[in-house]
Amino acid sequence: MKTDMVDLVNLINDMFIEFTRKQVFSKETADFLGFAQQKFKLNAKNDWNEIIASEDILEDSNEALKSFLKFGLSGPTKYNDLGEKYLRLYGVLNAVYQQQQAILHIFKLFKCPNPKVVKQEFNDLSITQARHKLGAHSINYISQSNEETEMFVPVRVQFEDYKLTYFNHKNNESNEIDLKLTLEEHSKLICKTYLSIANKVIKTVYKGNTVKQEQVLSSFNELEIVMNGAWLVKGQDGNTIINIKFE
């Protein structure tokens, strides 16, 4: 079956967690935080705890995104409840933001290159813009073009499960976004960023050992192929992963 980007986030997160935990706990030591700091060339001992917390936030927020993609703004309910739709709208927008902050924090802690460029990529997403305008700064959004204050509200009469229209009271303009499409863009960028983190960390751990680097990276490279459009197939044993690329 074709793997959704939101599911791929979990696959990459699980694989990265398994790799990093094995590195830290493969050697019994009283000072495992110090060992983790040395292993991954972190700036401080507590960076490891912050990495773990960020990985948890990635996983938790992903559950929120999966629920939204399954049930939309209406949610798993038989009632046409306007309050439920607002809760799910504000919830999904902030789940996106929490996920972005978590991956950017991991990116920074592992000292990956060009963090400002990656942050800007996330800022440019339409779902991020919707979060800032509706989920955080509805009445005091500062325009990036002229630095004037703008006000945004969702148009409730046009609520659909996966379509969002919001209105700018400053200039009477409205914007419409496809929530499914922009969430896929967001999740794909999360995957891309996470894979670049894995690449950096693996090369740090196995510095000078290109054979080991390529061996460990092969599993992550398979998931990169999936990210770029391959199909993910599991064998009858439930463990074998086969990637088939259709042109």
Side-chain angles (χ1 to χ4, degrees), residues 137-156:
H137 305 288
S138 300
I139 61 170
N140 59 357
Y141 179 81
I142 305 299
S143 171
Q144 297 178 4
S145 59
N146 55 26
E147 296 188 350
E148 292 186 359
T149 301
E150 297 179 337
M151 296 183 178
F152 295 89
V153 294
V155 182
R156 68 168 64 174

PDB file of all heavy atoms in Angstrom, residues 137-156:
ATOM      1  N   HIS A 137      -2.400  34.164  16.580  1.00  0.00           N
ATOM      2  CA  HIS A 137      -2.388  35.634  16.513  1.00  0.00           C
ATOM      3  C   HIS A 137      -3.569  36.161  15.697  1.00  0.00           C
ATOM      4  O   HIS A 137      -3.418  37.039  14.843  1.00  0.00           O
ATOM      5  CB  HIS A 137      -1.072  36.124  15.904  1.00  0.00           C
ATOM      6  CG  HIS A 137       0.138  35.609  16.609  1.00  0.00           C
ATOM      7  ND1 HIS A 137       0.519  36.053  17.862  1.00  0.00           N
ATOM      8  CD2 HIS A 137       1.041  34.661  16.257  1.00  0.00           C
ATOM      9  CE1 HIS A 137       1.619  35.418  18.238  1.00  0.00           C
ATOM     10  NE2 HIS A 137       1.952  34.562  17.290  1.00  0.00           N
ATOM     11  N   SER A 138      -4.742  35.651  15.995  1.00  0.00           N
ATOM     12  CA  SER A 138      -5.924  36.007  15.204  1.00  0.00           C
ATOM     13  C   SER A 138      -6.198  37.507  15.177  1.00  0.00           C
ATOM     14  O   SER A 138      -6.604  38.056  14.154  1.00  0.00           O
ATOM     15  CB  SER A 138      -7.154  35.274  15.755  1.00  0.00           C
ATOM     16  OG  SER A 138      -6.973  33.885  15.689  1.00  0.00           O
ATOM     17  N   ILE A 139      -5.990  38.183  16.310  1.00  0.00           N
ATOM     18  CA  ILE A 139      -6.325  39.612  16.361  1.00  0.00           C
ATOM     19  C   ILE A 139      -5.099  40.515  16.332  1.00  0.00           C
ATOM     20  O   ILE A 139      -5.232  41.744  16.329  1.00  0.00           O
ATOM     21  CB  ILE A 139      -7.154  39.944  17.618  1.00  0.00           C
ATOM     22  CG1 ILE A 139      -6.372  39.620  18.892  1.00  0.00           C
ATOM     23  CG2 ILE A 139      -8.483  39.211  17.597  1.00  0.00           C
ATOM     24  CD1 ILE A 139      -7.035  40.136  20.150  1.00  0.00           C
ATOM     25  N   ASN A 140      -3.907  39.932  16.316  1.00  0.00           N
ATOM     26  CA  ASN A 140      -2.704  40.779  16.327  1.00  0.00           C
ATOM     27  C   ASN A 140      -1.591  40.204  15.457  1.00  0.00           C
ATOM     28  O   ASN A 140      -0.427  40.232  15.818  1.00  0.00           O
ATOM     29  CB  ASN A 140      -2.200  40.970  17.766  1.00  0.00           C
ATOM     30  CG  ASN A 140      -1.870  39.647  18.443  1.00  0.00           C
ATOM     31  OD1 ASN A 140      -2.062  38.577  17.890  1.00  0.00           O
ATOM     32  ND2 ASN A 140      -1.366  39.749  19.664  1.00  0.00           N
ATOM     33  N   TYR A 141      -2.001  39.674  14.289  1.00  0.00           N
ATOM     34  CA  TYR A 141      -1.006  39.128  13.369  1.00  0.00           C
ATOM     35  C   TYR A 141      -0.258  40.275  12.692  1.00  0.00           C
ATOM     36  O   TYR A 141      -0.865  41.211  12.174  1.00  0.00           O
ATOM     37  CB  TYR A 141      -1.676  38.248  12.304  1.00  0.00           C
ATOM     38  CG  TYR A 141      -0.707  37.671  11.307  1.00  0.00           C
ATOM     39  CD1 TYR A 141       0.040  36.544  11.609  1.00  0.00           C
ATOM     40  CD2 TYR A 141      -0.536  38.265  10.057  1.00  0.00           C
ATOM     41  CE1 TYR A 141       0.944  36.012  10.700  1.00  0.00           C
ATOM     42  CE2 TYR A 141       0.362  37.743   9.140  1.00  0.00           C
ATOM     43  CZ  TYR A 141       1.106  36.614   9.461  1.00  0.00           C
ATOM     44  OH  TYR A 141       1.996  36.098   8.556  1.00  0.00           O
ATOM     45  N   ILE A 142       1.061  40.206  12.717  1.00  0.00           N
ATOM     46  CA  ILE A 142       1.883  41.243  12.091  1.00  0.00           C
ATOM     47  C   ILE A 142       2.221  40.822  10.669  1.00  0.00           C
ATOM     48  O   ILE A 142       2.887  39.809  10.451  1.00  0.00           O
ATOM     49  CB  ILE A 142       3.183  41.501  12.889  1.00  0.00           C
ATOM     50  CG1 ILE A 142       2.872  41.831  14.340  1.00  0.00           C
ATOM     51  CG2 ILE A 142       3.982  42.627  12.239  1.00  0.00           C
ATOM     52  CD1 ILE A 142       2.024  43.068  14.524  1.00  0.00           C
ATOM     53  N   SER A 143       1.762  41.596   9.707  1.00  0.00           N
ATOM     54  CA  SER A 143       2.013  41.290   8.306  1.00  0.00           C
ATOM     55  C   SER A 143       3.505  41.312   8.011  1.00  0.00           C
ATOM     56  O   SER A 143       4.225  42.228   8.424  1.00  0.00           O
ATOM     57  CB  SER A 143       1.306  42.301   7.403  1.00  0.00           C
ATOM     58  OG  SER A 143       1.700  42.131   6.058  1.00  0.00           O
ATOM     59  N   GLN A 144       3.980  40.304   7.297  1.00  0.00           N
ATOM     60  CA  GLN A 144       5.391  40.235   6.950  1.00  0.00           C
ATOM     61  C   GLN A 144       5.760  41.225   5.859  1.00  0.00           C
ATOM     62  O   GLN A 144       6.933  41.561   5.692  1.00  0.00           O
ATOM     63  CB  GLN A 144       5.742  38.807   6.502  1.00  0.00           C
ATOM     64  CG  GLN A 144       5.542  37.770   7.596  1.00  0.00           C
ATOM     65  CD  GLN A 144       5.846  36.362   7.122  1.00  0.00           C
ATOM     66  OE1 GLN A 144       6.288  36.154   5.998  1.00  0.00           O
ATOM     67  NE2 GLN A 144       5.616  35.384   7.978  1.00  0.00           N
ATOM     68  N   SER A 145       4.778  41.690   5.116  1.00  0.00           N
ATOM     69  CA  SER A 145       5.056  42.604   4.001  1.00  0.00           C
ATOM     70  C   SER A 145       5.154  44.067   4.437  1.00  0.00           C
ATOM     71  O   SER A 145       6.027  44.806   3.986  1.00  0.00           O
ATOM     72  CB  SER A 145       3.978  42.468   2.925  1.00  0.00           C
ATOM     73  OG  SER A 145       2.698  42.769   3.460  1.00  0.00           O
ATOM     74  N   ASN A 146       4.252  44.495   5.354  1.00  0.00           N
ATOM     75  CA  ASN A 146       4.261  45.907   5.746  1.00  0.00           C
ATOM     76  C   ASN A 146       4.303  46.121   7.256  1.00  0.00           C
ATOM     77  O   ASN A 146       4.247  47.264   7.721  1.00  0.00           O
ATOM     78  CB  ASN A 146       3.039  46.628   5.168  1.00  0.00           C
ATOM     79  CG  ASN A 146       1.740  45.956   5.560  1.00  0.00           C
ATOM     80  OD1 ASN A 146       1.640  45.287   6.581  1.00  0.00           O
ATOM     81  ND2 ASN A 146       0.723  46.121   4.716  1.00  0.00           N
ATOM     82  N   GLU A 147       4.378  45.020   8.031  1.00  0.00           N
ATOM     83  CA  GLU A 147       4.471  45.058   9.490  1.00  0.00           C
ATOM     84  C   GLU A 147       3.260  45.714  10.150  1.00  0.00           C
ATOM     85  O   GLU A 147       3.340  46.208  11.266  1.00  0.00           O
ATOM     86  CB  GLU A 147       5.765  45.769   9.939  1.00  0.00           C
ATOM     87  CG  GLU A 147       7.028  45.028   9.505  1.00  0.00           C
ATOM     88  CD  GLU A 147       8.288  45.619  10.108  1.00  0.00           C
ATOM     89  OE1 GLU A 147       8.208  46.716  10.705  1.00  0.00           O
ATOM     90  OE2 GLU A 147       9.348  44.987   9.970  1.00  0.00           O
ATOM     91  N   GLU A 148       2.130  45.726   9.466  1.00  0.00           N
ATOM     92  CA  GLU A 148       0.893  46.235  10.044  1.00  0.00           C
ATOM     93  C   GLU A 148       0.114  45.086  10.689  1.00  0.00           C
ATOM     94  O   GLU A 148       0.228  43.927  10.293  1.00  0.00           O
ATOM     95  CB  GLU A 148       0.030  46.917   8.973  1.00  0.00           C
ATOM     96  CG  GLU A 148       0.632  48.214   8.441  1.00  0.00           C
ATOM     97  CD  GLU A 148      -0.319  48.935   7.497  1.00  0.00           C
ATOM     98  OE1 GLU A 148      -1.432  48.400   7.264  1.00  0.00           O
ATOM     99  OE2 GLU A 148       0.047  50.008   6.990  1.00  0.00           O
ATOM    100  N   THR A 149      -0.713  45.433  11.678  1.00  0.00           N
ATOM    101  CA  THR A 149      -1.514  44.424  12.373  1.00  0.00           C
ATOM    102  C   THR A 149      -2.720  44.044  11.533  1.00  0.00           C
ATOM    103  O   THR A 149      -3.431  44.900  10.996  1.00  0.00           O
ATOM    104  CB  THR A 149      -1.986  44.960  13.734  1.00  0.00           C
ATOM    105  OG1 THR A 149      -0.850  45.301  14.528  1.00  0.00           O
ATOM    106  CG2 THR A 149      -2.804  43.908  14.468  1.00  0.00           C
ATOM    107  N   GLU A 150      -2.945  42.729  11.437  1.00  0.00           N
ATOM    108  CA  GLU A 150      -4.094  42.217  10.701  1.00  0.00           C
ATOM    109  C   GLU A 150      -4.898  41.288  11.600  1.00  0.00           C
ATOM    110  O   GLU A 150      -4.393  40.797  12.613  1.00  0.00           O
ATOM    111  CB  GLU A 150      -3.638  41.477   9.431  1.00  0.00           C
ATOM    112  CG  GLU A 150      -2.916  42.386   8.446  1.00  0.00           C
ATOM    113  CD  GLU A 150      -2.448  41.645   7.205  1.00  0.00           C
ATOM    114  OE1 GLU A 150      -2.274  40.404   7.281  1.00  0.00           O
ATOM    115  OE2 GLU A 150      -2.267  42.297   6.167  1.00  0.00           O
ATOM    116  N   MET A 151      -6.167  41.051  11.231  1.00  0.00           N
ATOM    117  CA  MET A 151      -7.049  40.194  12.010  1.00  0.00           C
ATOM    118  C   MET A 151      -7.658  39.136  11.103  1.00  0.00           C
ATOM    119  O   MET A 151      -8.121  39.448   9.997  1.00  0.00           O
ATOM    120  CB  MET A 151      -8.172  41.017  12.661  1.00  0.00           C
ATOM    121  CG  MET A 151      -7.694  42.030  13.668  1.00  0.00           C
ATOM    122  SD  MET A 151      -9.094  42.883  14.449  1.00  0.00           S
ATOM    123  CE  MET A 151      -8.216  43.952  15.608  1.00  0.00           C
ATOM    124  N   PHE A 152      -7.672  37.887  11.568  1.00  0.00           N
ATOM    125  CA  PHE A 152      -8.166  36.775  10.763  1.00  0.00           C
ATOM    126  C   PHE A 152      -9.181  35.941  11.545  1.00  0.00           C
ATOM    127  O   PHE A 152      -9.004  35.711  12.740  1.00  0.00           O
ATOM    128  CB  PHE A 152      -7.005  35.873  10.336  1.00  0.00           C
ATOM    129  CG  PHE A 152      -6.019  36.543   9.414  1.00  0.00           C
ATOM    130  CD1 PHE A 152      -4.934  37.236   9.931  1.00  0.00           C
ATOM    131  CD2 PHE A 152      -6.185  36.486   8.041  1.00  0.00           C
ATOM    132  CE1 PHE A 152      -4.023  37.851   9.092  1.00  0.00           C
ATOM    133  CE2 PHE A 152      -5.281  37.102   7.187  1.00  0.00           C
ATOM    134  CZ  PHE A 152      -4.195  37.791   7.716  1.00  0.00           C
ATOM    135  N   VAL A 153     -10.206  35.489  10.835  1.00  0.00           N
ATOM    136  CA  VAL A 153     -11.190  34.579  11.435  1.00  0.00           C
ATOM    137  C   VAL A 153     -11.552  33.510  10.412  1.00  0.00           C
ATOM    138  O   VAL A 153     -11.612  33.776   9.206  1.00  0.00           O
ATOM    139  CB  VAL A 153     -12.484  35.315  11.874  1.00  0.00           C
ATOM    140  CG1 VAL A 153     -12.204  36.274  13.002  1.00  0.00           C
ATOM    141  CG2 VAL A 153     -13.114  36.041  10.692  1.00  0.00           C
ATOM    142  N   PRO A 154     -11.803  32.271  10.862  1.00  0.00           N
ATOM    143  CA  PRO A 154     -12.299  31.254   9.937  1.00  0.00           C
ATOM    144  C   PRO A 154     -13.743  31.555   9.553  1.00  0.00           C
ATOM    145  O   PRO A 154     -14.512  32.084  10.356  1.00  0.00           O
ATOM    146  CB  PRO A 154     -12.198  29.956  10.752  1.00  0.00           C
ATOM    147  CG  PRO A 154     -12.234  30.392  12.173  1.00  0.00           C
ATOM    148  CD  PRO A 154     -11.601  31.754  12.224  1.00  0.00           C
ATOM    149  N   VAL A 155     -14.096  31.238   8.316  1.00  0.00           N
ATOM    150  CA  VAL A 155     -15.460  31.469   7.832  1.00  0.00           C
ATOM    151  C   VAL A 155     -16.289  30.229   8.147  1.00  0.00           C
ATOM    152  O   VAL A 155     -16.199  29.211   7.459  1.00  0.00           O
ATOM    153  CB  VAL A 155     -15.469  31.762   6.317  1.00  0.00           C
ATOM    154  CG1 VAL A 155     -16.905  32.038   5.844  1.00  0.00           C
ATOM    155  CG2 VAL A 155     -14.559  32.955   6.003  1.00  0.00           C
ATOM    156  N   ARG A 156     -17.110  30.308   9.189  1.00  0.00           N
ATOM    157  CA  ARG A 156     -17.805  29.119   9.696  1.00  0.00           C
ATOM    158  C   ARG A 156     -18.834  28.571   8.719  1.00  0.00           C
ATOM    159  O   ARG A 156     -19.070  27.361   8.676  1.00  0.00           O
ATOM    160  CB  ARG A 156     -18.450  29.390  11.040  1.00  0.00           C
ATOM    161  CG  ARG A 156     -19.613  30.351  10.997  1.00  0.00           C
ATOM    162  CD  ARG A 156     -20.395  30.353  12.309  1.00  0.00           C
ATOM    163  NE  ARG A 156     -19.618  30.829  13.437  1.00  0.00           N
ATOM    164  CZ  ARG A 156     -20.130  31.017  14.654  1.00  0.00           C
ATOM    165  NH1 ARG A 156     -21.413  30.764  14.871  1.00  0.00           N
ATOM    166  NH2 ARG A 156     -19.386  31.471  15.638  1.00  0.00           N
TER     167      ARG A 156
END
